[in-house]
Amino acid sequence: MNTLVKYLRWDTVVGVLLIAVFLAGSGTTEGFADTANLSAALDDTAEIALIALPMTLLVVAGQVDLSVASMLGLSSALAGSLWEAGWTFETIVPLCLLVGALGGLLNGWLVTRVGLPSLAVTIGTLTLYRGLASVVLGDKAVADFPETYSRWATYTQTVPGTFIPYPVALFGVLAVITAVVLHCTAFGRSLYAIGAQEDAAYFAGIRVKRIKLVLFVLAGFVASFAGIVFTLRYGSARADNGVGLELVVIASVLLGGVDFDGGRGTLGGAVAGVLLIGLLNNLLTLNDVSNEIQVIVTGLLLVASVLTPRVVAAVSERRHRRAATASA
Amino acid sequence: MTATLESPPAAPEADRRSARSLMDLVLRARELSIGGALVVLILGTWISNPSFLDDQGIKDLLLNSSILVLLAVGQSVVVITRNIDLSVGSVVGLTAFACGSFVSGTDHSALTVVLLGIGLGVLCGLVSGLLVSFGRVPALVVTLGMLYVIQGIDHAWAHGEQINAADVPDDVLGLGSGSVLGIPYLPLISAAVLVGTAYYLRTYRSGRELYAIGSNPEAARLAGIPIRRRVLAAYAFSGAVAGLAGALWLARFGTVVADAANGWELTVVSSVVVGGIAITGGVGTVWGAALGALLLTTMGSALVVLKVDSFWQQAITGVLLLAAITTDRIVNLRTTSALRKRSRR
């Protein structure tokens, strides 16, 4: 019983669910397990997956960044208007990344220096960055990106010998690095410490503010990169690209068992959460299940993901107590 | 506190009283400063464009803000208990559509629609509330999940169709367009809900207990406050208000699509935050939240009237939002240190 409960951690459950969805999909739905479809399904989650990495670090440290999707939009708008102005892509990308890092710096500064809650700050910058995006590009759409660039982001071109599109391959590499940093380094442990008890972490000599600042800069940086991927993947730069995506990213991370109160969760769980939502949506689409039902499924999964571990814990505790009274 | 023991016997009482009055002043000053900003904004806009405050202009301002004010009041009650309700936007959408399809082509009265909206809203609020209070799961996650579920149900039900004003009974539309003594019904309803909630929170024991839960849940539990029941009630109230807002949405616009009020949840939370309600619970009044909602709506209208390039509007709103919460925080820090100095003297 004890060992069962030990392995019944939610992130393991999500992993098992992921495999179950994959097996059920390949058994029931023609074309689901095809490499072309898997490429497309993976590529569809590229931006969410990329942003989910720094978001996991933030949530583990007890913070949240709601402005990421707006930063994605700002980066997209910036890339579009600079491209239209005749800049080369080699200069556009670093500039967008710089803007993303600066946006993250503003978030981090307001959280650490002014001492505001990250939820309130990033609701403000969510509005600000989306507003700046529409200042930069208005309601125009820039779409004439050359094939040489957009191929890198779409699933038509994959890493040679595999069915993995380049953004997903990059995500894989970054996920491994992030997992190592989070789970095997002192920096990673300090994130858990900050998330669990910020004051205690501070008095234990962890540079809480510095670390939080770094996390927000990282989130802004990755979000602006995701903006470029988004732009090239859809071949369209718009100020309203990715509206509402912040909630999907957070939902994926929380689905993977990362505790919103901070201090708990694994990167593997978060990645499994991202892939589960992506794969499930792809499978439902292939079966002509409407988008509305997909949204409902996401919501139910999310509620189940926070409710189940607590119900399991409550049940096992009750059983323990009963066993204890019986033996006494 | 130890410092007051060392002071002469007469002093502590006086000190405490002055400290309390200072605290009172600052708490009131928060609402005053938001109100002041609102007045400056309105006067400034009026001076540069007098049509902003003609009869129609005032009516528009009141009508535009009344639904947001309602939602902000509901959200405040939840945020004061250190929780959050992200599902309000989708509840408004769902109730507006449900009420619309219930009455379209019939001659149901406005009261029926309002009651139906409130009932449906309470139902949604109860589900979120039960999960948060009895499931003991983080509010943000639960209400984010509920946001998706309700939105999905709404879209699946509507299936791309919309409610048309022509099918909505005149009595219902009259609720949205009618007025008493020149004041439209909608702002009157919002004001009634606002005043009632403010009175309840300030006067009733259970209202004060919501603040206790938000400022220190553990202490509240030890003090014997029924936390679960209070939090559940807060969510039911927020749901009820969102349901009412949905019914009023139908009455005001007549035409309702499935994604009415989609994405409003963050605007509502913004109003509450601008209004000086701490996102960490236990602090703030519904007056502040209502002023915050008024300020956000007025800002939107003023930028249009002032012919500010529409692309700039959202960015300006964002900057003002950040400025509001930053100022609030700085004023708060100053007061705390001033109070500490006083109690030490």
Side-chain angles (χ1 to χ4, degrees):
Chain A
M1 184 66 216
N2 263 339
T3 43
L4 187 67
V5 169
K6 202 169 127 197
Y7 285 104
L8 212 78
R9 287 196 346 223
W10 180 255
D11 43 359
T12 335
V13 175
V14 177
V16 172
L17 266 177
L18 185 62
I19 296 169
V21 167
F22 181 77
L23 291 179
S26 29
T28 59
T29 310
E30 203 161 325
F32 173 72
D34 287 1
T35 51
N37 180 57
L38 287 179
S39 295
L42 284 174
D43 204 37
D44 270 340
T45 63
E47 298 86 21
I48 296 169
L50 284 169
I51 302 177
L53 297 176
M55 188 67 88
T56 305
L57 301 183
L58 276 169
V59 176
V60 164
Q63 308 294 309
V64 71
D65 186 351
L66 290 178
S67 72
V68 282
S70 297
M71 182 48 80
L72 183 153
L74 176 56
S75 163
S76 177
L78 202 60
S81 76
L82 291 178
W83 175 254
E84 213 181 29
W87 289 45
T88 64
F89 234 79
E90 288 71 21
T91 44
I92 290 173
V93 173
L95 190 78
C96 285
L97 296 180
L98 179 68
V99 169
L102 286 176
L105 194 66
L106 176 62
N107 284 335
W109 185 78
L110 286 167
V111 169
T112 56
R113 278 300 166 88
V114 188
L116 296 164
S118 57
L119 193 71
V121 166
T122 54
I123 284 178
T125 51
L126 172 149
T127 317
L128 173 62
Y129 299 158
R130 186 64 73 185
L132 288 178
S134 76
V135 170
V136 168
L137 200 58
D139 50 9
K140 283 187 299 187
V142 178
D144 56 341
F145 299 105
E147 180 107 4
T148 39
Y149 296 116
S150 52
R151 260 200 334 221
W152 287 98
T154 52
Y155 62 89
T156 48
Q157 175 175 310
T158 57
V159 178
T162 65
F163 61 89
I164 300 170
Y166 279 101
V168 179
L170 177 65
F171 162 73
V173 173
L174 291 179
V176 170
I177 295 174
T178 315
V180 169
V181 167
L182 182 62
H183 296 299
C184 307
T185 64
F187 180 79
R189 276 193 298 281
S190 64
L191 298 188
Y192 285 97
I194 295 171
Q197 245 304 345
E198 196 174 314
D199 290 338
Y202 175 77
F203 287 117
I206 294 171
R207 306 176 82 169
V208 175
K209 288 186 176 183
R210 173 79 58 86
I211 288 175
K212 279 201 216 164
L213 194 69
V214 168
L215 292 183
F216 279 105
V217 172
L218 212 59
F221 184 83
V222 174
S224 64
F225 183 77
I228 291 170
V229 174
F230 193 104
T231 309
L232 291 178
R233 204 157 68 79
Y234 289 97
S236 164
R238 292 178 54 92
D240 61 354
N241 272 350
V243 166
L245 210 69
E246 66 277 349
L247 294 184
V248 183
V249 172
I250 291 168
S252 308
V253 170
L254 299 177
L255 175 62
V258 180
D259 194 334
F260 187 72
D261 292 337
R264 242 175 301 165
T266 60
L267 194 84
V271 171
V274 171
L275 294 181
L276 181 59
I277 289 187
L279 220 51
L280 204 56
N281 282 349
N282 178 267
L283 182 60
L284 293 174
T285 309
L286 286 182
N287 284 303
D288 288 329
V289 176
S290 63
N291 192 37
E292 294 91 50
I293 306 293
Q294 294 179 26
V295 173
I296 297 181
V297 169
T298 307
L300 289 178
L301 263 178
L302 193 55
V303 173
S305 76
V306 285
L307 204 56
T308 319
R310 281 167 219 245
V311 171
V312 169
V315 168
S316 78
E317 193 188 330
R318 187 168 298 174
R319 198 170 291 177
H320 264 280
R321 217 177 289 155
R322 204 174 296 157
T325 46
S327 66
Chain B
M1 280 300 104
T2 48
T4 48
L5 289 177
E6 293 155 14
S7 331
E13 184 54 30
D15 265 359
R16 221 173 294 147
R17 199 178 300 150
S18 70
R20 196 183 300 146
S21 71
L22 180 71
M23 201 64 204
D24 265 7
L25 193 72
V26 170
L27 283 178
R28 233 174 289 141
R30 276 181 153 179
E31 273 104 58
L32 277 182
S33 62
I34 309 162
L38 186 61
V39 169
V40 169
L41 177 69
I42 291 176
L43 286 181
T45 316
W46 180 52
I47 288 167
S48 60
N49 186 348
S51 77
F52 185 60
L53 281 193
D54 62 10
D55 282 358
Q56 191 56 42
I58 293 178
K59 216 177 211 174
D60 284 346
L61 266 188
L62 288 174
L63 277 175
N64 287 341
S65 54
S66 45
I67 289 179
L68 189 60
V69 167
L70 260 186
L71 293 174
V73 170
Q75 186 74 243
S76 308
V77 175
V78 173
V79 174
I80 283 171
T81 66
R82 203 185 274 191
N83 286 294
I84 196 165
D85 188 353
L86 287 183
S87 69
V88 285
S90 60
V91 174
V92 174
L94 180 71
T95 49
F97 194 83
C99 290
S101 49
F102 177 69
V103 297
S104 74
T106 68
D107 53 355
H108 284 293
S109 71
L111 185 67
T112 323
V113 172
V114 166
L115 290 180
L116 177 72
I118 293 179
L120 204 57
V122 169
L123 214 62
C124 296
L126 280 180
V127 175
S128 301
L130 279 174
L131 287 168
V132 171
S133 62
F134 287 89
R136 270 189 272 175
V137 288
L140 192 111
V141 190
V142 166
T143 56
L144 184 58
M146 285 296 288
L147 166 82
Y148 288 132
V149 172
I150 296 173
Q151 203 178 59
I153 292 174
D154 190 14
H155 280 234
W157 184 9
H159 225 82
E161 285 176 32
Q162 65 172 43
I163 308 291
N164 291 313
D167 300 330
V168 180
D170 291 338
D171 191 33
V172 176
L173 292 178
L175 179 67
S177 56
S179 58
V180 248
L181 303 172
I183 306 172
Y185 289 131
L186 255 57
L188 285 178
I189 295 172
S190 298
V193 172
L194 170 64
V195 172
T197 313
Y199 182 75
Y200 168 77
L201 284 177
R202 197 181 167 85
T203 318
Y204 281 77
R205 185 195 167 97
S206 49
R208 304 308 307 166
E209 283 175 355
L210 294 180
Y211 282 93
I213 294 169
S215 59
N216 194 333
E218 187 57 17
R221 192 181 64 81
L222 292 175
I225 295 172
I227 297 184
R228 293 178 170 189
R229 236 171 45 215
R230 295 280 177 269
V231 171
L232 182 63
Y235 272 97
F237 177 71
S238 164
V241 169
L244 174 62
L248 296 181
W249 184 292
L250 173 72
R252 163 124 204 253
F253 298 107
T255 310
V256 177
V257 291
D259 55 1
N262 253 11
W264 270 44
E265 52 280 344
L266 292 182
T267 316
V268 175
V269 176
S270 300
S271 318
V272 169
V273 170
V274 168
I277 292 189
I279 205 92
T280 46
V283 175
T285 65
V286 284
W287 299 109
L291 280 173
L294 265 179
L295 188 66
L296 283 190
T297 328
T298 312
M299 217 148 63
S301 317
L303 291 174
V304 173
V305 169
L306 294 175
K307 297 204 173 59
V308 172
D309 184 352
S310 69
F311 298 130
W312 275 97
Q313 286 170 18
Q314 205 180 2
I316 294 175
T317 311
V319 169
L320 292 176
L321 204 60
L322 289 173
I325 53 176
T326 308
T327 319
D328 194 51
R329 166 77 182 171
I330 290 168
V331 169
N332 215 359
L333 283 180
R334 289 262 165 83
T335 332
T336 317
S337 70
L339 283 178
R340 204 171 288 153
K341 239 178 250 163
R342 246 159 216 263
S343 67
R344 224 173 260 153
R345 202 169 44 197

